[in-house]
């Protein structure tokens, strides 16, 4: 059978195109239209097969198809707008008919010419592949970017049954990808069987089934991050310890694929979730932003602010992931006691953080006071989880103006550490200019001075991501503050810290994530994305500790993160982090507890338990069949003796390695066997089969001829070959 007429090579293409049309149609038409589109795929393949060899010009074929498509679209529009048809048949019936015709015939008219064109010109194969990839990419792009609840038509069905969509999409993509590759390759290589696609799909499925959960989660994170994020590995907040030890540590962290907050990356590339934080209490920060601190830069090394190398300062950051409950050492803790007649300053807030991407150390809502380990709610979805208890402010800066800066517990060395800065008088000049704008009675008030600097920076800087990225060696401030003042959070935070220090206010730069409090909505979950990475300045306030005093320029050239977090995704991830299913558990949970991979592995394990008895039973059945075929001439009716005796002789010859080759006649095979008795049995069988009448031999005669065939044929066969034939339970299969 010729390649173009073989049906097997078309099956992968039919499957892939049906999947593509299903994904495309299900969101744009009714169920009837979707079914019609699938039927249109089958009709297109049939039409392409029947007309591919016809002498039809492709230009004329495409013109006819597009013209017919336009006529169908016009007729559908006229039918839907016709009031008479709607009254006679009803609007639902008219709509269903037009959708069915449009999607079914439209698919046929577009796909059939494409398939015919691809069979004639290789360049159309690329067009076909691009269309398929585009359809799937458009439907599942949101899921790739971390919106695990999209597309709704698939994930809603899965989540209602407590099935994680991630392994499902991985396996579905692997199957469709394998089918697509084989489909495109087979168009030029004349493959006529399903062996290649089945082998490829089996290999991909095996990889996904036995790939550890952590690797699948890592694949998802890498896919979401994209190539652009991988190219920007330098951390401007790094370099605190200096020297080769710190560089080796950072390189090791990068090798471990830690995706710590990196404000220097801006919001380039796709935004994807990195963590979800569940608030145990209803809380809205007075400054309108949730700040999650992971690191701090406070040491002036002569070029820039870096991490403290001594380990004696900034003890509220740099704590490793907790193996047990750990209290964060703070020099000053905000007063959490409610005093009569006074507004509460702060309170303790508990949170649970579930990381979706690896981080080198934990972060927490400022100010962290305690870390505790927590079980991972879903190892396939989350990297790890932990609990954090923070002391959060309940009041804004107006109620803190009377407080002084620094701590009465500090030594002169600590004061020097947090006020050291570049020896450039221009910083002091700008800070004095900002302070001069204050009323006279506020010019010596600590927080009023800091707020004046913030106000000056808000007015005189422009938020712009399209500026050169800061590296670990250069100072990100000088060219920014004394230049065009176009920059992003790294420039703004460092500039504010220097200006604060020029006024004698202890300050530092913190690094982590900043999330708009409005994003939380009415729920308890806060979704953190890579685009929320942020750096902000902090001032040390007596009796409170480090207080965030972020800079928000009034002029914005490029918004920090344009796409808003999906509230449905935030809610669902929060429920997953709490280990709370999106829908009630069924009385009879699905196989594998809703995990497709686990269900497959459980099925394989159950099959492996049955495999040994199944194989043993099969072998016994094969041997019984082999024995019965040898004994059948002794018990069958006399009318079946020619067939049974001939078959028994063939089985004996098969044990000896003698079998009729493909295409050889029975007579030719009888002449090749060194036994005249086999020729007699062949003649008797042929006469019986053709209705010419078999010889009137007795049963004893047939049995004698059968034994003689085996004895004479075995004379030229070594004993080991005869032993193998006897032990082989499938030797009779060759002549069955």
């Amino acid at each position: 059978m010729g390649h173009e007429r073989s049906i097997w090579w078309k099956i992968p293409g039919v499957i892939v195109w049906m999947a593509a049309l299903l994904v495309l149609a299900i969101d744009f038409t009714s169920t009837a239209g979707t079914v019609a589109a699938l039927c249109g795929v089958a009709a297109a393949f049939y039409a392409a097969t029947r007309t591919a060899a016809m002498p039809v010009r492709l230009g004329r074929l495409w013109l006819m198809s597009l013209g017919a498509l336009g006529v169908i679209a016009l007729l559908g529009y006229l039918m839907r707008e016709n009031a008479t048809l709607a009254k006679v048949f009803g609007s639902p019936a008219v709509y269903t008919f037009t959708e069915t015709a449009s999607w079914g015939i439209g698919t046929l008219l577009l796909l059939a010419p494409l398939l015919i064109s691809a069979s004639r010109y290789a360049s159309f194969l690329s067009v076909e592949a691009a269309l398929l990839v585009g359809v799937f990419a458009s439907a599942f792009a949101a899921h790739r970017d971390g919106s695990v609840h999209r597309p709704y038509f698939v994930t809603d069905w899965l989540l209602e049954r407590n099935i994680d969509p991630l392994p499902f999409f991985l396996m579905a993509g692997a199957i469709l990808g394998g089918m697509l590759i084989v489909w495109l390759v087979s168009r030029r290589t004349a493959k006529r069987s399903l062996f290649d696609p089945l082998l490829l799909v089996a290999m991909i499925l095996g990889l996904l089934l036995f790939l550890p959960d952590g690797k699948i989660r890592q694949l998802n994170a890498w896919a979401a991050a994209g190539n652009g994020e991988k190219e920007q590995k330098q951390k401007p907040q790094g370099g605190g310890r200096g020297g080769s030890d710190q560089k080796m540590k950072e390189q090791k962290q990068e090798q471990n694929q830690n995706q710590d907050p990196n404000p220097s990356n801006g919001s380039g590339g796709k935004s994807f979730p990195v963590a979800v934080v569940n608030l145990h209490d209803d809380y809205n920060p007075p400054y309108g932003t949730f700040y999650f601190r992971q690191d701090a830069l406070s040491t002036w090394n002569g070029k820039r602010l870096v991490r403290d190398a001594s380990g004696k300062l900034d003890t509220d950051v740099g704590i490793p992931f907790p193996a047990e409950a750990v209290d964060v050492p703070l020099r000053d803790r905000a007063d959490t006691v409610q005093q009569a007649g006074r507004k509460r300053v702060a309170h303790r807030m508990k949170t649970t953080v579930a990381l979706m991407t690896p981080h080198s150390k934990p972060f927490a809502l400022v100010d962290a006071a305690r870390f505790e380990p927590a079980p991972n709610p879903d190892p396939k979805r989350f990297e790890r989880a932990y609990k954090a208890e923070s002391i959060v402010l309940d009041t804004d800066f107006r109620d803190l103006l009377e407080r002084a800066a620094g701590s009465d517990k500090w030594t002169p060395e600590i004061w020097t550490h947090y006020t050291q800065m570049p020896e450039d008088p221009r910083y002091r000049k700008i800070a004095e200019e900002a302070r001069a704008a204050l009323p006279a009675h506020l010019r010596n008030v600590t927080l009023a001075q800091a707020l004046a600097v913030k106000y000056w920076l808000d007015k005189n800087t422009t938020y712009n991501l399209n500026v050169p990225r800061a590296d670990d060696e250069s100072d990100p401030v000088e060219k920014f503050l004394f230049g065009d003042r176009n920059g992003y959070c790294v420039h703004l935070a460092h500039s504010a810290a220097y200006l604060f220090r020029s006024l004698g206010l202890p300050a530092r730069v913190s690094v982590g994530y900043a999330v708009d409090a409005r994003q939380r909505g009415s729920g308890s979950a806060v979704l953190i994305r890579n685009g929320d990475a942020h750096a902000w300045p902090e001032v040390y306030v007596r009796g409170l500790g480090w207080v965030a005093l972020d800079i928000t320029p009034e002029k914005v050239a490029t918004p920090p993160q344009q796409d808003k977090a999906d509230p449905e995704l935030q809610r669902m991830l929060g429920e997953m982090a709490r280990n709370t299913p999106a829908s009630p558990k069924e009385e009879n949970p699905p196989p594998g507890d809703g995990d497709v991979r686990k269900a497959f592995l459980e099925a394989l394990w159950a099959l492996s338990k049955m495999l040994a008895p199944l194989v043993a039973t099969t072998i016994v059945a094969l041997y019984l069949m082999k024995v019965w075929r040898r004994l059948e001439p002794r018990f069958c009716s006399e009318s079946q003796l020619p067939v049974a005796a001939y078959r028994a002789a063939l089985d004996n010859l098969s044990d000896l390695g003698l079998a009729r080759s493909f295409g050889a006649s029975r007579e030719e095979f009888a002449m090749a066997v060194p036994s005249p008795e086999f020729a007699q049995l062949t003649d008797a069988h042929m006469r019986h089969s053709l209705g010419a009448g078999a010889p009137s031999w007795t049963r004893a005669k047939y049995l004698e001829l059968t034994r003689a065939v085996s004895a004479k044929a075995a004379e030229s066969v070594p004993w080991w070959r005869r032993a193998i034939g006897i032990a082989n339970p499938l030797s009779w299969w060759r002549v069955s």
Side-chain angles (χ1 to χ4, degrees), residues 230-418:
K230 297 175 185 177
E231 295 173 356
Q232 300 172 352
K233 297 245 181 210
Q234 297 297 326
K235 299 178 176 60
Q237 64 270 28
R241 297 179 186 266
S244 60
D245 291 340
Q246 178 64 12
K247 290 183 179 180
M248 290 177 63
K249 180 180 179 181
E250 291 181 358
Q251 290 174 0
K252 182 178 180 181
Q253 289 178 359
E254 289 176 1
Q255 291 172 359
N256 292 335
Q257 301 298 329
N258 289 325
Q259 296 179 358
D260 291 333
N262 187 355
S264 266
N265 282 344
S267 61
K270 289 289 187 178
S271 180
F272 60 93
V274 298
V276 61
V277 180
N278 279 316
L279 308 179
H280 293 200
D281 299 316
D282 187 17
Y283 172 68
N284 284 310
Y287 27 75
T289 302
F290 290 105
Y291 289 100
F292 298 92
R293 182 195 296 138
Q294 187 193 51
D295 215 337
L297 316 175
S298 64
T299 300
W300 170 251
N301 67 355
K303 292 183 178 180
R304 58 177 293 131
L305 291 179
V306 295
R307 297 184 183 92
D308 169 56
S310 66
K312 298 178 181 179
L313 303 173
D314 299 329
T315 55
D316 56 326
V317 296
I319 297 173
F321 286 106
E324 57 184 3
V326 177
D327 288 322
V328 178
L330 294 176
R331 297 184 183 275
D332 287 313
R333 295 184 184 275
D335 186 9
T336 59
V337 178
Q338 179 71 52
Q339 299 181 5
R342 300 189 64 180
K343 182 184 292 187
R344 186 175 66 175
V345 176
H347 74 280
R348 285 182 173 265
M349 175 77 182
K350 293 183 178 181
T351 58
T352 300
V353 182
L355 298 177
M356 302 180 68
T357 59
H359 285 66
S360 62
K361 50 190 172 242
F363 55 82
L365 194 64
V366 295
D367 279 333
R370 184 179 177 86
F371 287 103
E372 297 180 30
N376 192 334
D378 186 354
K380 295 181 296 301
R381 180 64 59 187
F382 300 106
E383 180 71 22
R384 65 165 69 226
Y386 58 90
K387 295 181 179 180
E389 185 174 344
S390 303
I391 298 176
V392 295
L393 291 178
D394 292 315
T395 184
D396 57 24
F397 300 116
R398 290 173 297 181
D399 298 321
L400 307 177
L401 289 177
E402 74 279 3
R403 294 178 181 261
S407 172
D408 54 6
K409 303 175 184 178
W410 284 3
T411 63
E413 290 76 16
I414 296 178
W415 271 98
T416 300
H417 176 88
Y418 286 119

Side-chain angles (χ1 to χ4, degrees), residues 9-294:
W9 70 276
K10 299 182 181 66
I11 291 180
V14 173
I15 294 175
V16 172
W17 270 109
M18 281 190 170
L21 263 296
L22 177 65
V23 167
L24 183 64
I26 200 165
D27 280 336
F28 295 98
T29 185
S30 61
T31 303
T34 303
V35 173
L38 300 180
C39 295
V41 171
F45 272 84
Y46 177 79
T49 302
R50 301 293 296 178
T51 61
M54 295 182 180
V56 180
R57 294 182 179 274
L58 288 182
R60 185 175 301 175
L61 178 64
W62 276 105
L63 185 62
M64 293 171 57
S65 297
L66 294 176
L69 185 63
V71 171
I72 293 296
L74 178 61
L75 289 177
Y77 172 78
L78 294 176
M79 292 180 66
R80 285 191 294 268
E81 296 297 321
N82 191 298
T84 303
L85 288 177
K87 291 180 180 179
V88 174
F89 299 101
S91 296
V94 174
Y95 173 79
T96 300
F97 176 79
T98 54
E99 286 295 294
T100 302
S102 299
W103 282 89
I105 300 177
T107 301
L108 170 63
L109 293 175
L110 287 176
L111 183 55
L114 179 61
L115 295 174
I116 296 173
S117 302
S119 67
R120 298 185 184 182
Y121 298 100
S123 58
F124 279 93
L125 290 175
S126 301
V127 176
E128 187 177 354
L131 287 174
L132 288 169
V133 171
V135 169
F136 288 118
S138 62
F140 298 103
H143 194 92
R144 176 187 180 276
D145 295 334
S147 298
V148 294
H149 65 307
R150 294 181 178 177
Y152 298 108
F153 71 90
V154 176
T155 53
D156 283 353
W157 187 88
L158 294 172
L159 292 172
E160 286 174 0
R161 290 157 178 79
N162 301 316
I163 299 176
D164 185 4
L166 174 58
F168 175 85
F169 283 135
L170 284 173
M171 284 190 288
I175 294 174
L176 291 175
M179 287 290 187
L180 176 60
I181 293 172
V182 174
W183 156 242
L184 296 177
V185 172
S186 66
R187 304 280 288 276
R188 292 293 169 185
T189 56
K191 296 290 185 183
R192 300 181 186 179
S193 71
L194 286 179
F195 177 76
D196 286 343
L198 290 177
L199 179 62
L200 179 61
V201 171
M203 291 172 62
I204 299 175
L205 277 178
L207 175 65
L208 289 175
L209 286 175
F210 297 101
L211 196 66
D213 289 338
K215 294 298 181 182
I216 288 185
R217 184 181 60 251
Q218 196 173 47
L219 286 174
N220 188 46
W222 287 344
N227 295 330
E229 296 292 332
K230 297 175 185 177
E231 295 173 356
Q232 300 172 352
K233 297 245 181 210
Q234 297 297 326
K235 299 178 176 60
Q237 64 270 28
R241 297 179 186 266
S244 60
D245 291 340
Q246 178 64 12
K247 290 183 179 180
M248 290 177 63
K249 180 180 179 181
E250 291 181 358
Q251 290 174 0
K252 182 178 180 181
Q253 289 178 359
E254 289 176 1
Q255 291 172 359
N256 292 335
Q257 301 298 329
N258 289 325
Q259 296 179 358
D260 291 333
N262 187 355
S264 266
N265 282 344
S267 61
K270 289 289 187 178
S271 180
F272 60 93
V274 298
V276 61
V277 180
N278 279 316
L279 308 179
H280 293 200
D281 299 316
D282 187 17
Y283 172 68
N284 284 310
Y287 27 75
T289 302
F290 290 105
Y291 289 100
F292 298 92
R293 182 195 296 138
Q294 187 193 51

Side-chain angles (χ1 to χ4, degrees), residues 457-478:
L457 288 171
D458 290 347
K459 287 286 186 180
N460 294 280
T461 59
T462 301
Y463 191 91
N464 190 351
L465 288 170
N466 298 323
V467 296
R469 298 302 181 212
D471 55 39
D472 288 342
E473 302 299 330
S474 63
D475 184 4
V477 176
E478 184 177 0

Side-chain angles (χ1 to χ4, degrees), residues 590-612:
D593 295 328
D595 186 335
V596 180
R597 294 176 65 247
K598 187 176 179 181
F600 270 107
L601 291 174
E602 288 179 355
L604 290 177
W605 176 246
L607 184 61
S608 66
K609 291 182 177 180
M610 301 170 53
L611 194 59

Side-chain angles (χ1 to χ4, degrees), residues 521-534:
S522 59
S524 61
V526 177
L527 179 64
I528 300 177
R529 299 175 293 166
N530 65 315
D532 295 320
H534 191 53

Side-chain angles (χ1 to χ4, degrees), residues 614-629 651 726-733:
L614 182 64
V615 170
T617 304
T618 302
I619 292 176
V620 170
L622 292 174
Y623 274 121
L624 290 176
M625 178 61 70
K626 183 174 183 176
V627 172
W628 165 249
R629 287 165 65 99
D651 288 356
I726 294 172
N728 183 8
L730 285 172
S731 61
W732 59 271
W733 192 275

